[in-house]
């Protein structure tokens, strides 16, 4: 075993965890889950059945990644952010797992503390979701989203710095160009 699980956490059967991944206190990983290498799951993290998590993903304290959610490599989930998997839940009329709406968070994207990603949406590569935002539609690559419901307030570099009009990062010199409201690295 070349990963770490704190003794207060539960890993169910048929779970794959990559090397150097750490699962901290009071967490629960359900059956059928795949977690990549070098991930960090903070305190009180729940991973639902059959969820796939890539490499280098950081999940801060008090996050539940429910069945139907997929996190690609290097996704960051801020503390107490929320995923869902049912748009119209009823306790009396449960839909069952096959009706869950899928949520995909693409490579490198970051989700701020206490934000909500409503199910059925995709967060683009390297997108940045502000703290407390409620995402109710697909998010373009490199977009900064804020508010309720979340609106795009700008563009962000791969390194995390917001981009100015020139689309060249003042911090790391990466350069982008905008083609029909999509940002692409030059
Ligand atoms: Zn940059």
């Amino acid at each position: 075993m070349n990963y770490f699980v704190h003794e207060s956490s539960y890993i169910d059967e048929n779970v794959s965890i990559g090397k150097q991944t750490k699962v901290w206190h009071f967490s629960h990983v359900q059956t059928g889950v795949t977690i990549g290498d070098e991930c960090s799951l903070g305190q009180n993290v729940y991973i639902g059945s059959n969820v796939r998590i890539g490499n280098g993903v950081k999940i801060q304290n008090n996050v539940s990644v429910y069945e139907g959610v997929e996190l690609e490599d290097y996704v960051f989930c801020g503390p107490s952010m929320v995923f869902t998997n049912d748009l119209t839940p009823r306790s009396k009329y449960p839909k069952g797992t096959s009706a869950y709406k899928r949520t995909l968070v693409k490579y490198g994207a970051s989700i701020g503390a206490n934000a909500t990603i409503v199910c059925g949406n995709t967060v683009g590569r390297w997108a940045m979701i502000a703290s407390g935002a409620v995402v109710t539609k697909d998010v373009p690559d490199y977009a900064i989203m804020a508010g309720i419901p979340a609106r795009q307030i700008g563009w962000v570099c791969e390194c995390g710095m917001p981009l100015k009009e020139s689309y060249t990062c003042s911090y790391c010199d990466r350069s982008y160009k905008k083609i029909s409201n999509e940002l692409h690295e030059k």
Side-chain angles (χ1 to χ4, degrees), residues 157-161 163 169-174 176:
C157 182
E158 176 173 327
C159 79
M161 285 292 284
L163 291 164
C169 181
S170 57
Y171 185 76
C172 74
D173 276 340
R174 281 187 181 86
Y176 301 84

Side-chain angles (χ1 to χ4, degrees), residues 73-93:
D73 297 348
Y74 297 105
V75 164
F76 178 92
C77 296
S80 302
M81 61 77 51
V82 173
F83 289 109
T84 65
N85 61 13
D86 187 340
L87 268 182
T88 53
R90 289 292 198 208
S91 291
K92 191 174 178 183
Y93 303 102

Side-chain angles (χ1 to χ4, degrees), residues 45-112:
V45 167
Y46 166 81
I47 310 294
S49 302
N50 306 311
V51 164
R52 298 181 65 83
I53 294 175
N55 300 315
V57 171
K58 290 191 169 69
I59 303 177
Q60 303 298 92
N61 294 356
N62 309 311
V63 173
S64 292
V65 184
Y66 297 113
E67 184 166 11
V69 176
E70 178 174 353
L71 308 179
E72 292 187 351
D73 297 348
Y74 297 105
V75 164
F76 178 92
C77 296
S80 302
M81 61 77 51
V82 173
F83 289 109
T84 65
N85 61 13
D86 187 340
L87 268 182
T88 53
R90 289 292 198 208
S91 291
K92 191 174 178 183
Y93 303 102
K95 299 181 181 73
T97 55
S98 61
Y100 289 162
K101 295 237 181 290
R102 287 181 40 78
T103 298
L104 174 62
V105 184
K106 289 190 173 176
Y107 191 105
S110 300
I111 303 166

